[in-house]
Amino acid sequence: MIFNDFHFAFLFLPVVCAFFFLPVLSQHRHWTLLISSFVFYGASGMQHLLCLLIGIAWVYVWTRGTNIVGNRRVLVVAIAIPLSLLFYFKYLGFFLNSVSGWSGSADVKFDLFDDILLPAGISFFTFQMIGFAIDRYRGQHINVPNFSQFALYISFFPQLVAGPIVRFSQVSEAIAQLVQYRLRTEDASAAIAYITLGLAAKVLLADTLSNLISPMAAAPGDVTKTDAFYIIFGYSFQIYFDFYGYSLIAIGLGRLFGFHLPVNFNRPYSALNPQDFWRRWHMTLSYWLRDYLYVPLGGNRRYMRNILIIFALCGLWHGAGWNFVIWGVYHAALVAGYRTLHQGWDRMPNLIQIACNFLFVSVGWLFFLFDFIQFQSFIGALLNNNGSIVGTTTPEHWGILAISAVICFAVRFDKIISATEPARQTTVLRPLAFAGLFLLTLLFFDRSQDFIYFRF
């Protein structure tokens, strides 16, 4: 089930809200959300739901007692099953095919594992399970939840599939106070704003760009230079509005039920340098990698080594393929290069810094769009003069790209959302504008696609 779907918007969500806010069921709100989350995830397949349930039950059993505190063996056991499930579903085929290639048996391909359907969002909820277990191991001040509370923390449907990656301490109070929760006007207004803007970013911008880019990207070796540049920047905006749109919807849905989920984006394409970019893009993943991997590895004491390890793993987390690993190493090189040359970089005008950083990041996304063979073909088309090939970009293409750029760099979604607070509503213009935007988005629901990060 996806947010940009009529069944979710007009069946699933209204039913969940009806049961959640029904006074006679207020004592069972956590069960309402928990069962709804299982239904939401189970719609993608019962095998995937079983995978989620096994991980939840296993981690809860091994982390509920005090024997995990400071006990590395118990920690390893606690995270073993979630990691094993992640490895089986996501990485086993990649690992076996890579080993067969290294051993000289490149003609052997394990197609059986390529046919395994990856459970949506498994990388996200696995990281939440691991993070919780590590926090318990470290003895941090976590009030151990009961099973249903812990299960809700892991499976809460707004952020289950594509984040943000949440720490238990960020939602424990909301879970504990579900019975007393009352939806305030400001929360309802913010929720509507987040959901509307998120859906518009996904459906009107990301999916429109996808429909324009896909025909060109299908034959990466047969594009003109103009088409190639369009693919680079068009896909960069597509993945931005796709993932940003999901994160906005997740935050809005959370606000409906009393959850203040963390912000995942802070205008990342306006970053001045690669280091600044990773403080702004997918912020909850960056914090997770910092706290649970980078710092334990020694942090800044072994900076170059640790940056390479973290970003290589970050790339592998995004996808089971060497193109994703190369993407991670590429960003490690950008961050390490900036650290080495920052004095010269920082002397450039801010506009030049932003433009250079945006270009580097956009080129890196090509590793998400193409495999190695396609990437090689694309670079060849970009560098060579394909005079016999007719370009496919039209004024419509460039118009959508220009609109995306203006919205990305000039529009502050956080300012728009804060302006929807009831205290600032002096006219009906803003509510009417949001209603119009929502209706416009609905018109294009039928051509909308899955979120890109569902693959991860």
Side-chain angles (χ1 to χ4, degrees):
M1 194 178 298
I2 55 178
F3 298 154
N4 49 322
D5 180 80
F6 286 104
H7 293 93
F8 177 86
F10 296 105
L11 179 60
F12 178 82
L13 186 58
V15 169
V16 173
C17 289
F19 277 93
F20 184 84
F21 291 107
L22 200 64
V24 296
L25 295 177
S26 61
Q27 297 295 320
H28 308 287
R29 282 177 170 170
H30 68 289
W31 285 107
T32 297
L33 292 182
L34 182 59
I35 294 172
S36 301
S37 298
F38 289 158
V39 171
F40 175 86
Y41 197 68
S44 66
M46 294 307 296
Q47 181 187 29
H48 297 169
L49 177 59
L50 181 61
C51 171
L52 174 65
L53 293 174
I54 290 173
I56 290 172
W58 182 269
V59 173
Y60 180 76
V61 167
W62 287 97
T63 60
R64 62 179 300 187
T66 58
N67 60 325
I68 192 176
V69 179
N71 192 327
R72 186 169 298 180
R73 289 185 179 179
V74 177
L75 172 64
V76 170
V77 173
I79 66 177
I81 291 299
L83 281 177
S84 298
L85 291 171
L86 177 64
F87 180 78
Y88 171 75
F89 281 102
K90 190 168 184 176
Y91 299 110
L92 183 56
F94 166 68
F95 173 77
L96 292 176
N97 288 323
S98 297
V99 170
S100 66
W102 293 333
S103 64
S105 304
D107 56 326
V108 178
K109 186 171 177 62
F110 295 88
D111 295 317
L112 170 65
F113 299 101
D114 288 341
D115 294 334
I116 294 175
L117 187 61
L118 180 69
I122 188 172
S123 298
F124 286 89
F125 62 73
T126 298
F127 266 27
Q128 285 199 187
M129 293 178 189
I130 294 173
F132 181 86
I134 294 175
D135 286 344
R136 294 286 297 131
Y137 164 78
R138 292 174 175 174
Q140 296 182 1
H141 299 290
I142 295 179
N143 294 322
V144 181
N146 60 40
F147 179 75
S148 63
Q149 292 173 330
F150 175 72
L152 178 58
Y153 156 62
I154 298 297
S155 65
F156 186 44
F157 72 87
Q159 51 81 219
L160 170 63
V161 178
I165 300 172
V166 178
R167 315 288 177 90
F168 182 72
S169 59
Q170 294 173 310
V171 296
S172 58
E173 184 176 353
I175 293 175
Q177 296 182 354
L178 281 175
V179 174
Q180 294 81 26
Y181 174 67
R182 297 293 180 271
L183 180 63
R184 300 176 300 175
T185 305
E186 52 265 38
D187 286 325
S189 298
I192 292 172
Y194 275 113
I195 294 170
T196 302
L197 290 174
L199 285 173
K202 164 61 177 171
V203 176
L204 300 181
L205 294 175
D207 289 337
T208 299
L209 287 167
S210 175
N211 291 330
L212 294 175
I213 293 168
S214 295
M216 292 185 286
D222 296 326
V223 295
T224 64
K225 283 185 170 63
T226 301
D227 290 351
F229 279 111
Y230 186 86
I231 290 173
I232 292 172
F233 296 114
Y235 187 71
S236 183
F237 286 124
Q238 178 195 339
I239 198 169
Y240 171 77
F241 284 112
D242 191 286
F243 193 25
Y244 189 27
Y246 183 98
S247 297
L248 289 173
I249 299 168
I251 293 173
L253 291 172
R255 289 289 287 271
L256 282 177
F257 305 110
F259 291 74
H260 287 254
L261 300 177
V263 173
N264 220 11
F265 285 85
N266 182 19
R267 305 182 71 206
Y269 284 171
S270 296
L272 295 175
N273 54 68
Q275 196 173 68
D276 187 28
F277 172 79
W278 280 102
R279 297 191 184 106
R280 296 165 172 256
W281 173 274
H282 204 343
M283 296 160 64
T284 56
L285 174 63
S286 296
Y287 296 151
W288 196 99
L289 293 171
R290 178 197 65 189
D291 295 342
Y292 297 116
L293 286 176
Y294 182 73
V295 172
L297 284 172
N300 291 338
R301 288 178 296 169
R302 301 290 300 274
Y303 183 81
M304 293 299 181
R305 184 204 69 172
N306 291 343
I307 283 294
L308 180 61
I309 293 173
I310 293 302
F311 275 103
L313 291 175
C314 178
L316 195 59
W317 177 86
H318 279 85
W322 287 110
N323 54 317
F324 292 101
V325 177
I326 295 300
W327 173 84
V329 173
Y330 171 79
H331 272 277
L334 292 180
V335 172
Y338 168 73
R339 181 181 175 91
T340 304
L341 306 172
H342 69 94
Q343 292 181 344
W345 180 289
D346 293 343
R347 282 197 293 266
M348 295 190 298
N350 285 356
L351 186 60
I352 301 299
Q353 293 185 51
I354 292 172
C356 290
N357 189 68
F358 173 64
L359 175 61
F360 288 142
V361 170
S362 297
V363 170
W365 291 130
L366 294 175
F367 290 109
F368 276 36
L369 184 60
F370 301 125
D371 59 29
F372 282 134
I373 296 176
Q374 293 172 327
F375 180 82
Q376 184 179 3
S377 299
F378 179 82
I379 296 300
L382 179 63
L383 297 178
N384 296 327
N385 183 19
N386 295 327
S388 61
I389 299 176
V390 178
T392 59
T393 52
T394 65
E396 178 192 2
H397 286 77
W398 296 107
I400 294 297
L401 189 67
I403 292 171
S404 301
V406 169
I407 293 175
C408 176
F409 289 103
V411 176
R412 295 287 301 271
F413 280 26
D414 56 335
K415 298 293 185 182
I416 295 175
I417 292 169
S418 63
T420 63
E421 295 176 3
R424 303 186 184 187
Q425 294 290 352
T426 57
T427 69
V428 297
L429 292 180
R430 285 196 182 97
L432 287 176
F434 273 96
L437 182 61
F438 181 72
L439 290 175
L440 178 63
T441 304
L442 287 181
L443 294 177
F444 296 92
F445 258 31
D446 58 343
R447 59 139 213 196
S448 193
Q449 306 163 10
D450 284 353
F451 290 86
I452 292 176
Y453 266 69
F454 276 26
R455 311 171 197 165
F456 308 143

